[in-house]
Amino acid sequence: GGAEKLVLLNDIADVEAFISGAEVVVVGFFQEPESPEASQLHLAAARIPEVPFALSCSPAVREHFGVTAATLTLFRRADKDRRDLDLNSEEIDADKMSRFIRMNELRLVTEYNPTTAVGVLHSSLLLHLLLFTDKKSPEHPEQMRRYRAAAELFEGKILFILVDINLKSNEQVMTYFRLKKSQLPALAIFHTPDEKNDVLPLDEVSIERVKDFCSAFLQ
């Protein structure tokens, strides 16, 4: 369960290696490994098994990462960014921790839904690429494999997003880009500061098509 999952790291190099080891990781910077925050972190870790969790109680580590008070920090590879949750400001429990993680866990390809929408909107990456597709289609696993491979080429430049058209809340996203179901799968690229965008219906999702579409927009 959560107990074995929560790694105790008190060396700066170990924490940095832990952070670079996955797309999304969570580190609790606490003063005591037996603190109330730590027990809540154990509960949150057990609820989110796909995200690696660590705990560090070293003053040197806290200083290195610019953390003064008890803080829950989520590090992510997709936009080379981090999000901090100050645990001293209010009563923080496993529910709030879990919600914070779910909202901010942007990945190389992030699935868009009402929870991740918050993190997507606040990402430091201003270019977003959306793949509109049907997750239930038999082609979906292969499409995702190629889309993910393309995402790695633009890591740190473009936020890659998957929009599943089976999700009712995603219909308004399709409407925004003036897309119909008959045109899918389709790509849409969006520059958040000025809302400049471009749309490309696809016959198939290939690494080459995604790459060309992104490169043309970047130029």
Side-chain angles (χ1 to χ4, degrees):
E4 306 81 67
K5 221 191 130 220
L6 202 54
V7 197
L8 187 61
L9 302 171
N10 283 326
D11 183 75
I12 293 167
D14 290 346
V15 179
E16 289 185 331
F18 179 79
I19 292 166
S20 60
E23 285 183 40
V24 174
V25 304
V26 172
V27 182
F29 295 104
F30 305 150
Q31 309 218 316
E32 294 293 329
E34 303 304 322
S35 63
E37 301 97 355
S39 61
Q40 293 301 312
L41 186 64
H42 278 281
L43 294 173
R47 287 181 196 179
I48 308 178
E50 69 279 18
V51 173
F53 280 71
L55 177 60
S56 185
C57 302
S58 147
V61 169
R62 285 208 303 274
E63 188 184 351
H64 178 79
F65 287 98
V67 172
T68 47
T71 303
L72 183 72
T73 301
L74 179 141
F75 296 90
R76 54 194 192 203
R77 225 176 96 186
D79 58 357
K80 312 254 188 293
D81 212 347
R82 64 184 259 188
R83 289 288 178 270
D84 292 344
L85 177 66
D86 179 356
L87 301 180
N88 289 354
S89 56
E90 50 179 314
E91 270 302 300
I92 300 282
D93 56 19
D95 287 339
K96 285 184 183 154
M97 287 181 180
S98 302
R99 189 166 169 270
F100 169 79
I101 293 159
R102 287 297 188 210
M103 270 167 47
N104 290 292
E105 61 165 333
L106 299 185
R107 298 178 171 273
L108 278 181
V109 174
T110 300
E111 193 168 330
Y112 192 81
N113 59 45
T115 308
T116 59
V118 181
V120 165
L121 291 171
H122 292 107
S123 167
S124 56
L125 292 182
L126 304 178
L127 266 182
H128 298 174
L129 182 73
L130 294 79
L131 171 64
F132 291 87
T133 188
D134 179 355
K135 265 181 84 177
K136 291 178 183 163
S137 94
E139 286 89 53
H140 180 70
E142 180 55 26
Q143 279 185 356
M144 273 308 288
R145 189 190 68 74
R146 294 177 190 164
Y147 191 55
R148 220 189 121 74
E152 289 182 359
L153 302 174
F154 293 95
E155 192 183 313
K157 292 192 191 118
I158 298 175
L159 191 64
F160 275 56
I161 296 161
L162 172 72
V163 183
D164 179 21
I165 57 159
N166 297 301
L167 207 60
K168 189 99 181 85
S169 57
N170 284 340
E171 285 173 9
Q172 61 199 93
V173 189
M174 276 183 63
T175 308
Y176 178 87
F177 289 103
R178 299 197 266 299
L179 277 167
K180 299 184 185 70
K181 282 196 175 176
S182 59
Q183 295 173 289
L184 304 183
L187 291 173
I189 197 161
F190 183 77
H191 185 237
T192 50
D194 55 11
E195 298 187 7
K196 191 177 177 209
N197 64 77
D198 195 6
V199 176
L200 175 72
L202 297 166
D203 38 5
E204 65 154 2
V205 178
S206 75
I207 300 171
E208 215 49 47
R209 294 296 297 277
V210 174
K211 197 172 120 186
D212 292 347
F213 182 61
C214 290
S215 300
F217 192 83
L218 282 167
Q219 281 163 12

